[in-house]
Amino acid sequence: MADARKPIAFDTTLRNPYRIPDFISIFKQYEGKILTSELIIKIEAELIRQKKFEPTKNTLGTYKREYKGKFYFEADDQSDDAAERVAKYYKEWVEGEPGSVSIDKIIYLLKNTVTDHKDHWEGGWETRLWTQCKFLNELGLVYMEKGHIIKISPAANLMLHGYDSDEDTSSNIQSAYLSVFAKYQVNNPFRNNTIKVNFFSLVLKVIKYLKEKYDRPGIFYQDISFIIAWDSNDYVQLAEYIQAFRNKFRYNNVSDELVYSYAMNLLDESTPNNIIAEATKDFIDKKSKHYKFTQLTRETRDEVIRKLRMTRLISFRGAGRFIDFNNLEIDKINHIIDSYTHNISEFESDEAYFDYMGSIDKALVFEDDKIDTAVALTAKEKAISEFASNHDWEYLKSQISIISNGTDTKDALLRFIDVPVRLEFLCSVIIKKKLPKVMVIANYLADDEGIPYGTAGGQHGNCVGTDIDVYEDDIHAIIEPTAATSRSFQTEHELPSIRNHIFGSKEKDVNEGNPYKKWFALFIAPKLVKDVADQVALIRAINNVEIYPWNADDFVEYSANNNFDSIQEYKIIRDYMKPQQL
């Protein structure tokens, strides 16, 4: 496919950097093997078998004897009972735990069902794997190209360090992601685009220029559309364009339709970029199918913000209306500006690109045992208190319900916070709103405004590994939210960890001479499985450790509808969490 002028865009298959190791852990099993069509299907089957990726019934659970859409497909099994067998195997997989169904059954499903993806490789499930590894190829985390040996880079191996253990791996994941994203070029061997842009350094330089020359609090969220449409590393001209646009229209009541028209003019190669003007009607009519309104003003803009936030170097200002430097990481910001501005127009080979991208920049590695500074703690406390003060109980109920039901939030700030850490943030807010006098210490990673980046890290160094600590008189309670709903994760991972966190909290308090005499935990999830009730009772009987499980909706309803002023009022075994008995 020939290169063409396109807006900057990012693949959305893997939005969350914490999911990247899930996929790489599967790819790692096949490192050193030549990627063939047969191996592609096997890898995709293993991803599905382990539930790293969960296709719908319409694709994986629906037999297709023949397909003549974007490509031609004929089912491997043409027998009369093939549809029944597909339905049976799919049901086994849906109801089973990750890895419980044989890979042969999943391969059977892939050979007798269709997904209508068609790009780069053969259509269907082959292309589905391409969509899952394409951005990882672009980042240099893996090298997966048909007919070539599968490679896993040093950055990817850093992501996998400690994977599948109770060790805190968040810093490894974020260090690896930042190291590769800092080098990311829009012009790379895996993307057909004529423009040459070092994306992250361009954004950082624009922010710096606007701050230093115009004292602006970063980049207004709508103006990201202009970055998406920009065609070079000329940050001065881009920053001046953004400033001139805002001088002309200011910030309030500027429609996305207007922003789209101006961004389209930047994409028109027949017009200069230093002219602040709308695109012609003829250009919009001709190119609107290629440069879609939703792409330039919503989808890609939102995805850019997510990708930038993943780095931990970008903060929100003005309730999410501006993106700015995270001043807690200014050394890393300056290092990227100084080191990754030069655009490498050509690489000797795809492998040379992989070697360049996949190396680790030690200056961008986060410390895994770093303790929050007083400034960082104050920022988190302020963000929690302000959100609690600015939103009523009905709003908090609605946001918890969105998480529990798996739907999308429209909140301008929360929609850029991934569900697991969003639940931690909202639980902190609920406790603070209900009990304003208690001390709430949230241990998630946050920017200099206290807005969360990622979930609390596990146990490491002097950190016990709790998600949220609540202190009241002689009580040290811990709050442990999880977005996971699987039986195995809740009972085999979360509950043993919570038990150990209580032991660790008590030991630390005693060793440090803290005044706390009572320790217990609240375990909060969108939907608790019944086995949690039995395990909680068992832990209490064996270890004398108190854990009180709550469904998230019930937790916020109870907080809103009952009058009390102590964290101890949550020490209740709800009816749905009473142990099973004969």
Side-chain angles (χ1 to χ4, degrees):
M1 185 183 296
D3 289 352
R5 170 74 168 97
K6 299 175 185 176
I8 294 170
F10 291 110
D11 185 82
T12 59
T13 305
L14 292 174
R15 288 179 170 172
N16 183 351
Y18 290 98
R19 288 194 68 209
I20 291 176
D22 289 340
F23 281 72
I24 296 175
S25 68
I26 301 298
F27 301 155
K28 178 76 173 176
Q29 298 173 26
Y30 305 95
E31 185 178 15
K33 296 183 181 297
I34 295 176
L35 191 62
T36 61
S37 289
E38 182 181 1
L39 187 57
I40 287 171
I41 294 301
K42 187 174 182 180
I43 294 172
E44 184 66 13
E46 187 63 16
L47 284 170
I48 294 169
R49 191 173 84 92
Q50 298 296 343
K51 297 195 173 181
K52 309 298 186 185
F53 164 58
E54 300 184 48
T56 65
K57 185 177 181 180
N58 286 338
T59 52
L60 189 64
T62 303
Y63 174 72
K64 284 284 187 182
R65 187 178 299 277
E66 188 179 46
Y67 171 79
K68 296 180 179 179
K70 297 177 182 177
F71 54 91
Y72 179 74
F73 167 83
E74 185 177 281
D76 189 62
D77 185 351
Q78 293 287 317
S79 67
D80 292 339
D81 63 350
E84 183 180 346
R85 187 173 299 151
V86 165
K88 177 186 176 184
Y89 289 174
Y90 178 78
K91 186 172 185 290
E92 284 182 27
W93 171 76
V94 167
E95 295 177 353
E97 291 292 313
S100 62
V101 175
S102 73
I103 194 167
D104 289 339
K105 288 183 177 179
I106 304 299
I107 289 174
Y108 175 87
L109 290 176
L110 297 184
K111 289 184 175 181
N112 292 283
T113 61
V114 169
T115 176
D116 65 357
H117 291 78
K118 178 66 181 84
D119 177 25
H120 195 63
W121 294 341
E122 294 298 318
W125 294 109
E126 272 203 31
T127 286
R128 195 69 186 94
L129 182 65
W130 172 249
T131 66
Q132 292 159 343
C133 71
K134 179 183 177 183
F135 190 55
L136 304 187
N137 275 336
E138 286 193 72
L139 292 178
L141 292 169
V142 303
Y143 179 62
M144 294 180 64
E145 185 59 275
K146 204 169 178 180
H148 295 262
I149 292 173
I150 296 172
K151 296 182 179 181
I152 308 296
S153 72
N157 282 317
L158 176 60
M159 280 191 168
L160 293 179
H161 183 72
Y163 185 78
D164 274 344
S165 75
D166 289 334
E167 181 182 345
D168 174 27
T169 61
S170 57
S171 292
N172 294 333
I173 294 169
Q174 291 158 343
S175 297
Y177 177 79
L178 177 58
S179 192
V180 296
F181 193 69
K183 307 169 196 170
Y184 179 77
Q185 297 185 176
V186 174
N187 53 309
N188 67 68
F190 299 97
R191 187 169 290 274
N192 301 308
N193 206 332
T194 59
I195 66 172
K196 295 177 172 59
V197 171
N198 294 62
F199 180 75
F200 196 24
S201 64
L202 174 65
V203 171
L204 295 178
K205 283 189 168 186
V206 169
I207 292 174
K208 184 177 182 180
Y209 185 92
L210 290 172
K211 287 169 72 71
E212 291 179 350
K213 185 169 182 180
Y214 297 107
D215 196 28
R216 278 180 45 144
I219 298 171
F220 191 58
Y221 78 99
Q222 278 187 326
D223 297 341
I224 292 171
S225 296
F226 302 135
I227 299 175
I228 294 167
W230 202 249
D231 65 353
S232 74
N233 277 335
D234 189 343
Y235 69 94
V236 173
Q237 191 175 59
L238 174 55
E240 290 290 354
Y241 182 97
I242 290 171
Q243 182 65 21
F245 181 86
R246 288 302 158 187
N247 284 342
K248 185 174 183 178
F249 296 107
R250 309 310 298 168
Y251 294 98
N252 296 323
N253 302 317
V254 177
S255 70
D256 278 341
E257 285 76 10
L258 183 69
V259 171
Y260 175 72
S261 182
Y262 278 79
M264 284 291 279
N265 193 51
L266 292 176
L267 288 164
D268 186 348
E269 294 182 293
S270 68
T271 63
N273 284 353
N274 60 349
I275 302 298
I276 313 299
E278 296 185 67
T280 63
K281 183 178 183 301
D282 180 62
F283 183 79
I284 291 176
D285 290 343
K286 188 183 299 182
K287 294 292 186 178
S288 60
K289 288 184 179 179
H290 301 285
Y291 310 145
K292 296 177 182 177
F293 173 79
T294 54
Q295 179 187 8
L296 280 176
T297 63
R298 294 173 194 167
E299 295 166 2
T300 303
R301 189 164 71 194
D302 285 0
E303 195 58 32
V304 163
I305 294 174
R306 290 189 187 96
K307 293 291 191 285
L308 292 172
R309 288 282 294 175
M310 287 179 194
T311 66
R312 281 175 60 181
L313 304 192
I314 296 296
S315 291
F316 282 131
R317 305 276 184 248
R321 297 173 75 235
F322 289 84
I323 59 168
D324 193 7
F325 291 160
N326 175 11
N327 292 312
L328 300 174
E329 300 292 350
I330 201 68
D331 289 344
K332 290 182 174 63
I333 290 168
N334 288 331
H335 176 75
I336 292 170
I337 289 173
D338 293 340
S339 304
Y340 297 113
T341 298
H342 174 66
N343 189 274
I344 303 173
S345 58
E346 288 188 23
F347 290 86
E348 291 182 6
S349 63
D350 292 357
E351 287 89 343
Y353 176 80
F354 167 79
D355 291 339
Y356 166 72
M357 289 293 295
S359 61
I360 298 167
D361 186 338
K362 293 182 179 179
L364 299 179
V365 172
F366 294 102
E367 300 174 37
D368 61 4
D369 59 350
K370 187 175 181 180
I371 306 298
D372 277 341
T373 63
V375 172
L377 284 172
T378 300
K380 285 197 277 191
E381 290 171 13
K382 181 182 177 184
I384 291 167
S385 295
E386 287 184 351
F387 203 92
S389 298
N390 295 336
H391 297 86
D392 61 22
W393 283 113
E394 290 306 312
Y395 191 79
L396 295 179
K397 289 178 189 178
S398 71
Q399 292 303 316
I400 289 292
S401 180
I402 284 168
I403 291 175
S404 297
N405 295 326
T407 52
D408 294 330
T409 180
K410 304 299 182 185
D411 186 277
L413 190 65
L414 295 180
R415 67 196 182 101
F416 292 113
I417 303 175
D418 197 48
V419 168
V421 69
R422 193 194 314 161
L423 183 59
E424 289 184 16
F425 176 68
L426 288 172
C427 286
S428 301
V429 168
I430 290 165
I431 291 292
K432 193 64 179 178
K433 188 173 185 68
K434 186 62 184 177
L435 306 171
K437 294 182 180 180
V438 304
M439 182 186 298
V440 179
I441 304 296
N443 296 311
Y444 46 69
L445 298 166
D447 62 24
D448 58 4
E449 292 279 341
I451 307 303
Y453 282 131
T455 55
Q459 187 171 0
H460 59 266
N462 195 40
C463 297
V464 173
T466 56
D467 290 346
I468 304 161
D469 293 286
V470 178
Y471 302 99
E472 176 194 328
D473 299 329
D474 64 346
I475 300 168
H476 180 178
I478 64 176
I479 316 296
E480 299 280 353
T482 180
T485 56
S486 74
R487 184 200 64 80
S488 61
F489 196 86
Q490 289 185 5
T491 60
E492 297 171 19
H493 176 82
E494 287 290 350
L495 286 176
S497 294
I498 294 170
R499 176 194 59 201
N500 293 338
H501 292 166
I502 294 176
F503 279 133
S505 296
K506 179 180 179 181
E507 181 181 5
K508 185 178 180 184
D509 286 336
V510 170
N511 290 341
E512 294 178 355
N514 296 327
Y516 311 113
K517 306 295 183 184
K518 302 171 186 174
W519 298 266
F520 63 89
L522 307 184
F523 178 35
I524 302 167
K527 180 66 176 177
L528 292 161
V529 299
K530 193 64 182 174
D531 287 352
V532 166
D534 299 336
Q535 291 300 312
V536 163
L538 188 62
I539 289 171
R540 182 162 189 169
I542 295 174
N543 305 116
N544 197 30
V545 167
E546 298 178 42
I547 302 174
Y548 298 93
W550 290 78
N551 282 336
D553 285 330
D554 185 28
F555 174 68
V556 67
E557 286 283 349
Y558 180 84
S559 302
N561 298 334
N562 293 277
N563 293 320
F564 57 87
D565 59 3
S566 173
I567 190 70
Q568 292 200 91
E569 296 299 323
Y570 290 102
K571 294 174 65 175
I572 303 171
I573 297 296
R574 309 299 278 172
D575 287 343
Y576 54 83
M577 278 289 105
K578 289 183 177 176
Q580 303 173 86
Q581 294 180 336
L582 285 175

